Amino acid sequence: MSDLFEELTADRDALAAAKQVAVRANENYYDLGCLLYHIKNDDLYKTVDGNKYYSNDHKKWKQFCEEQLSDISYRTAHYLLNIYRYFSDMGISKERVSQIGLSKAKEFVDCTDD
């Protein structure tokens, strides 16, 4: 366990490292939301690795998420793509959403027009 800590703090103190990792984490959540949004919205998931997820109204989206995105839950995937959809539709930048953070951004989705 200390090997990772040593690696993360090799060229900076622990607080600076934590701040940098936190920024990257929030940016990665937004990027993943963008990818998931387009995979779903553009029907890119309907045939993947020989599996067919064809259905009307995205009824097989949950099955796709559970089978293909095992590192995140269907619920998390849904939150992330909704965060991306909501804030990008409002013209709010990735950087601004990253400053808000994932938990707060999730709570703001569909709560306001501005």
Side-chain angles (χ1 to χ4, degrees):
M1 183 167 22
S2 65
D3 291 338
L4 177 58
F5 181 77
E6 296 300 325
E7 179 183 329
L8 293 171
T9 59
D11 61 346
R12 60 189 171 258
D13 67 49
L15 180 56
K19 287 179 180 180
Q20 183 181 20
V21 169
V23 167
R24 283 195 329 250
N26 283 324
E27 289 174 353
N28 287 338
Y29 284 130
Y30 194 78
D31 291 348
L32 182 54
C34 174
L35 292 168
L36 293 172
Y37 172 81
H38 286 284
I39 289 169
K40 181 179 180 185
N41 196 55
D42 301 340
D43 293 332
L44 301 176
Y45 70 96
K46 293 205 170 178
T47 302
V48 174
D49 294 335
N51 294 318
K52 295 185 180 192
Y53 300 98
Y54 290 107
S55 69
N56 295 329
D57 301 323
H58 300 291
K59 290 180 183 176
K60 298 247 181 168
W61 172 248
K62 181 176 182 180
Q63 180 184 352
F64 167 80
C65 289
E66 290 170 348
E67 291 178 3
Q68 299 294 327
L69 304 171
S70 59
D71 291 332
I72 62 168
S73 70
Y74 163 74
R75 184 177 174 181
T76 301
H78 192 70
Y79 284 143
L80 295 176
L81 74 88
N82 278 331
I83 288 168
Y84 170 78
R85 174 200 49 85
Y86 179 70
F87 287 103
S88 65
D89 284 353
M90 290 182 64
I92 298 174
S93 70
K94 170 181 157 177
E95 292 75 22
R96 185 80 187 251
V97 176
S98 295
Q99 291 173 346
I100 297 169
L102 175 66
S103 297
K104 288 179 188 168
K106 179 181 75 70
E107 296 302 319
F108 287 131
V109 170
D110 296 328
C111 287
T112 182
D113 292 334
D114 201 0

